[in-house]
Amino acid sequence: MRVIAGERKGHALKAVPGNNTRPTTDKVKESLFSIIGPFFDGDIVLDLFAGSGGLGIEALSRGAERAVFIDQATLAIKTIRQNIEGCHFTERAEVYRNDAERALKLLHKNEWKFDLVFLDPPYKKQQLEKLLIALEKLELVSENGRIVCEHDKEAVMPDTIGKFEKIKSVSYGITVLSIFEFQEA
């Protein structure tokens, strides 16, 4: 795994030890950022189920202003911190160990608004629709903000979830990227 583009292009990223995480491959990451970016100007990013932090770090490298990384696993948190420090993004990143639902409530309480959200939960525990509804209810996504859902090809995402409209869906083997945009009106 590596940072593909931007100010930290080519920097190697550590993977979370063990078999409990499934890192987004460089090919999928490169395709994803060509769809949603490829570069950003001051976006605020949430990397939920962050794993190694690869997606949020890629966004920072490509110009995002800040990123919040959340994962429940202690090894993942340790890896995210090592990767952020290695990329010199410590001042632009916040890392929290928490489960997704509790984390979203805390982010709401602290009045966060995100322009870009990465949702890449373990395939066997995905509740993507429920997470999108929570993001809307807690007002965590800015107008025209985008949510990238990485999921198994067996999980079919509807075209609309609350005020989120699917703008693109792309398959890569067993992995599907469903990209939603928040429509306030």
mmCIF file of all heavy atoms in Angstrom, residues 73-94:
data_model
loop_
_atom_site.group_PDB
_atom_site.id
_atom_site.type_symbol
_atom_site.label_atom_id
_atom_site.label_comp_id
_atom_site.label_asym_id
_atom_site.label_seq_id
_atom_site.Cartn_x
_atom_site.Cartn_y
_atom_site.Cartn_z
ATOM 1 N N ALA A 73 -10.758 -1.056 16.344
ATOM 2 C CA ALA A 73 -9.674 -1.963 16.699
ATOM 3 C C ALA A 73 -8.419 -1.222 17.152
ATOM 4 O O ALA A 73 -7.959 -0.295 16.486
ATOM 5 C CB ALA A 73 -9.330 -2.851 15.501
ATOM 6 N N THR A 74 -7.861 -1.657 18.255
ATOM 7 C CA THR A 74 -6.656 -1.036 18.807
ATOM 8 C C THR A 74 -5.484 -1.106 17.833
ATOM 9 O O THR A 74 -4.760 -0.114 17.662
ATOM 10 C CB THR A 74 -6.277 -1.734 20.139
ATOM 11 O OG1 THR A 74 -7.401 -1.664 21.026
ATOM 12 C CG2 THR A 74 -5.088 -1.072 20.794
ATOM 13 N N LEU A 75 -5.290 -2.259 17.176
ATOM 14 C CA LEU A 75 -4.192 -2.379 16.207
ATOM 15 C C LEU A 75 -4.368 -1.427 15.031
ATOM 16 O O LEU A 75 -3.397 -0.877 14.511
ATOM 17 C CB LEU A 75 -4.074 -3.818 15.692
ATOM 18 C CG LEU A 75 -3.366 -4.816 16.602
ATOM 19 C CD1 LEU A 75 -3.452 -6.226 16.010
ATOM 20 C CD2 LEU A 75 -1.914 -4.435 16.825
ATOM 21 N N ALA A 76 -5.611 -1.231 14.609
ATOM 22 C CA ALA A 76 -5.878 -0.293 13.516
ATOM 23 C C ALA A 76 -5.512 1.134 13.944
ATOM 24 O O ALA A 76 -4.857 1.863 13.186
ATOM 25 C CB ALA A 76 -7.339 -0.362 13.084
ATOM 26 N N ILE A 77 -5.905 1.522 15.145
ATOM 27 C CA ILE A 77 -5.600 2.871 15.641
ATOM 28 C C ILE A 77 -4.088 3.090 15.685
ATOM 29 O O ILE A 77 -3.581 4.135 15.264
ATOM 30 C CB ILE A 77 -6.245 3.102 17.032
ATOM 31 C CG1 ILE A 77 -7.770 3.095 16.908
ATOM 32 C CG2 ILE A 77 -5.733 4.376 17.675
ATOM 33 C CD1 ILE A 77 -8.364 4.170 16.015
ATOM 34 N N LYS A 78 -3.364 2.108 16.175
ATOM 35 C CA LYS A 78 -1.902 2.205 16.227
ATOM 36 C C LYS A 78 -1.323 2.367 14.815
ATOM 37 O O LYS A 78 -0.444 3.198 14.587
ATOM 38 C CB LYS A 78 -1.327 0.947 16.901
ATOM 39 C CG LYS A 78 0.164 0.963 17.053
ATOM 40 C CD LYS A 78 0.655 -0.302 17.751
ATOM 41 C CE LYS A 78 2.174 -0.299 17.825
ATOM 42 N NZ LYS A 78 2.704 -1.535 18.386
ATOM 43 N N THR A 79 -1.826 1.595 13.861
ATOM 44 C CA THR A 79 -1.347 1.661 12.481
ATOM 45 C C THR A 79 -1.675 3.013 11.843
ATOM 46 O O THR A 79 -0.843 3.604 11.158
ATOM 47 C CB THR A 79 -1.941 0.509 11.652
ATOM 48 O OG1 THR A 79 -1.620 -0.734 12.280
ATOM 49 C CG2 THR A 79 -1.400 0.511 10.240
ATOM 50 N N ILE A 80 -2.896 3.490 12.064
ATOM 51 C CA ILE A 80 -3.295 4.805 11.524
ATOM 52 C C ILE A 80 -2.345 5.875 12.039
ATOM 53 O O ILE A 80 -1.842 6.704 11.265
ATOM 54 C CB ILE A 80 -4.746 5.155 11.934
ATOM 55 C CG1 ILE A 80 -5.733 4.200 11.269
ATOM 56 C CG2 ILE A 80 -5.075 6.606 11.579
ATOM 57 C CD1 ILE A 80 -7.121 4.225 11.877
ATOM 58 N N ARG A 81 -2.092 5.875 13.339
ATOM 59 C CA ARG A 81 -1.190 6.887 13.911
ATOM 60 C C ARG A 81 0.207 6.808 13.298
ATOM 61 O O ARG A 81 0.825 7.834 12.996
ATOM 62 C CB ARG A 81 -1.138 6.740 15.433
ATOM 63 C CG ARG A 81 -2.422 7.211 16.083
ATOM 64 C CD ARG A 81 -2.238 7.471 17.584
ATOM 65 N NE ARG A 81 -3.426 8.138 18.084
ATOM 66 C CZ ARG A 81 -4.277 7.625 18.959
ATOM 67 N NH1 ARG A 81 -4.062 6.414 19.451
ATOM 68 N NH2 ARG A 81 -5.328 8.298 19.346
ATOM 69 N N GLN A 82 0.721 5.580 13.117
ATOM 70 C CA GLN A 82 2.049 5.420 12.495
ATOM 71 C C GLN A 82 2.042 5.958 11.065
ATOM 72 O O GLN A 82 2.984 6.651 10.653
ATOM 73 C CB GLN A 82 2.459 3.944 12.493
ATOM 74 C CG GLN A 82 2.789 3.395 13.855
ATOM 75 C CD GLN A 82 2.985 1.876 13.837
ATOM 76 O OE1 GLN A 82 2.573 1.184 12.916
ATOM 77 N NE2 GLN A 82 3.592 1.364 14.902
ATOM 78 N N ASN A 83 0.996 5.671 10.315
ATOM 79 C CA ASN A 83 0.916 6.136 8.932
ATOM 80 C C ASN A 83 0.774 7.659 8.853
ATOM 81 O O ASN A 83 1.385 8.298 7.995
ATOM 82 C CB ASN A 83 -0.236 5.441 8.192
ATOM 83 C CG ASN A 83 0.105 4.008 7.826
ATOM 84 O OD1 ASN A 83 1.267 3.651 7.624
ATOM 85 N ND2 ASN A 83 -0.911 3.162 7.745
ATOM 86 N N ILE A 84 -0.008 8.231 9.732
ATOM 87 C CA ILE A 84 -0.179 9.690 9.751
ATOM 88 C C ILE A 84 1.145 10.363 10.098
ATOM 89 O O ILE A 84 1.538 11.341 9.447
ATOM 90 C CB ILE A 84 -1.287 10.091 10.755
ATOM 91 C CG1 ILE A 84 -2.649 9.688 10.202
ATOM 92 C CG2 ILE A 84 -1.250 11.587 11.055
ATOM 93 C CD1 ILE A 84 -3.773 9.798 11.202
ATOM 94 N N GLU A 85 1.821 9.846 11.119
ATOM 95 C CA GLU A 85 3.124 10.411 11.500
ATOM 96 C C GLU A 85 4.137 10.258 10.374
ATOM 97 O O GLU A 85 4.884 11.187 10.070
ATOM 98 C CB GLU A 85 3.631 9.749 12.779
ATOM 99 C CG GLU A 85 2.860 10.162 14.015
ATOM 100 C CD GLU A 85 3.175 9.318 15.244
ATOM 101 O OE1 GLU A 85 4.183 8.571 15.242
ATOM 102 O OE2 GLU A 85 2.397 9.399 16.211
ATOM 103 N N GLY A 86 4.168 9.089 9.724
ATOM 104 C CA GLY A 86 5.094 8.853 8.629
ATOM 105 C C GLY A 86 4.872 9.791 7.453
ATOM 106 O O GLY A 86 5.810 10.140 6.732
ATOM 107 N N CYS A 87 3.622 10.210 7.259
ATOM 108 C CA CYS A 87 3.280 11.130 6.165
ATOM 109 C C CYS A 87 3.323 12.597 6.606
ATOM 110 O O CYS A 87 3.057 13.485 5.809
ATOM 111 C CB CYS A 87 1.886 10.811 5.628
ATOM 112 S SG CYS A 87 1.792 9.279 4.708
ATOM 113 N N HIS A 88 3.636 12.839 7.881
ATOM 114 C CA HIS A 88 3.708 14.197 8.435
ATOM 115 C C HIS A 88 2.357 14.923 8.358
ATOM 116 O O HIS A 88 2.309 16.106 8.042
ATOM 117 C CB HIS A 88 4.812 15.013 7.758
ATOM 118 C CG HIS A 88 6.136 14.319 7.758
ATOM 119 N ND1 HIS A 88 6.879 14.160 8.910
ATOM 120 C CD2 HIS A 88 6.833 13.730 6.766
ATOM 121 C CE1 HIS A 88 7.993 13.493 8.614
ATOM 122 N NE2 HIS A 88 7.984 13.219 7.312
ATOM 123 N N PHE A 89 1.283 14.195 8.662
ATOM 124 C CA PHE A 89 -0.058 14.774 8.648
ATOM 125 C C PHE A 89 -0.642 14.916 10.061
ATOM 126 O O PHE A 89 -1.837 15.144 10.212
ATOM 127 C CB PHE A 89 -1.015 13.923 7.801
ATOM 128 C CG PHE A 89 -0.790 14.030 6.322
ATOM 129 C CD1 PHE A 89 -0.947 12.913 5.521
ATOM 130 C CD2 PHE A 89 -0.443 15.228 5.719
ATOM 131 C CE1 PHE A 89 -0.761 12.990 4.145
ATOM 132 C CE2 PHE A 89 -0.248 15.321 4.349
ATOM 133 C CZ PHE A 89 -0.408 14.197 3.558
ATOM 134 N N THR A 90 0.178 14.808 11.081
ATOM 135 C CA THR A 90 -0.303 14.824 12.460
ATOM 136 C C THR A 90 -1.134 16.068 12.780
ATOM 137 O O THR A 90 -2.160 15.979 13.453
ATOM 138 C CB THR A 90 0.890 14.713 13.443
ATOM 139 O OG1 THR A 90 1.685 13.604 13.045
ATOM 140 C CG2 THR A 90 0.422 14.503 14.860
ATOM 141 N N GLU A 91 -0.724 17.214 12.259
ATOM 142 C CA GLU A 91 -1.425 18.472 12.559
ATOM 143 C C GLU A 91 -2.784 18.565 11.857
ATOM 144 O O GLU A 91 -3.608 19.394 12.240
ATOM 145 C CB GLU A 91 -0.555 19.670 12.143
ATOM 146 C CG GLU A 91 0.770 19.758 12.883
ATOM 147 C CD GLU A 91 0.595 19.919 14.386
ATOM 148 O OE1 GLU A 91 -0.262 20.735 14.794
ATOM 149 O OE2 GLU A 91 1.297 19.229 15.152
ATOM 150 N N ARG A 92 -2.993 17.749 10.841
ATOM 151 C CA ARG A 92 -4.228 17.831 10.053
ATOM 152 C C ARG A 92 -5.152 16.636 10.281
ATOM 153 O O ARG A 92 -6.127 16.473 9.562
ATOM 154 C CB ARG A 92 -3.880 17.943 8.567
ATOM 155 C CG ARG A 92 -3.157 19.240 8.255
ATOM 156 C CD ARG A 92 -2.505 19.278 6.885
ATOM 157 N NE ARG A 92 -3.374 18.874 5.790
ATOM 158 C CZ ARG A 92 -2.901 18.476 4.614
ATOM 159 N NH1 ARG A 92 -1.602 18.418 4.377
ATOM 160 N NH2 ARG A 92 -3.735 18.135 3.658
ATOM 161 N N ALA A 93 -4.826 15.794 11.267
ATOM 162 C CA ALA A 93 -5.586 14.563 11.476
ATOM 163 C C ALA A 93 -5.981 14.385 12.933
ATOM 164 O O ALA A 93 -5.253 14.782 13.838
ATOM 165 C CB ALA A 93 -4.752 13.369 11.017
ATOM 166 N N GLU A 94 -7.141 13.773 13.123
ATOM 167 C CA GLU A 94 -7.590 13.367 14.450
ATOM 168 C C GLU A 94 -7.953 11.892 14.367
ATOM 169 O O GLU A 94 -8.580 11.464 13.395
ATOM 170 C CB GLU A 94 -8.797 14.190 14.901
ATOM 171 C CG GLU A 94 -8.451 15.658 15.079
ATOM 172 C CD GLU A 94 -9.591 16.467 15.672
ATOM 173 O OE1 GLU A 94 -10.368 15.909 16.480
ATOM 174 O OE2 GLU A 94 -9.677 17.654 15.328
#
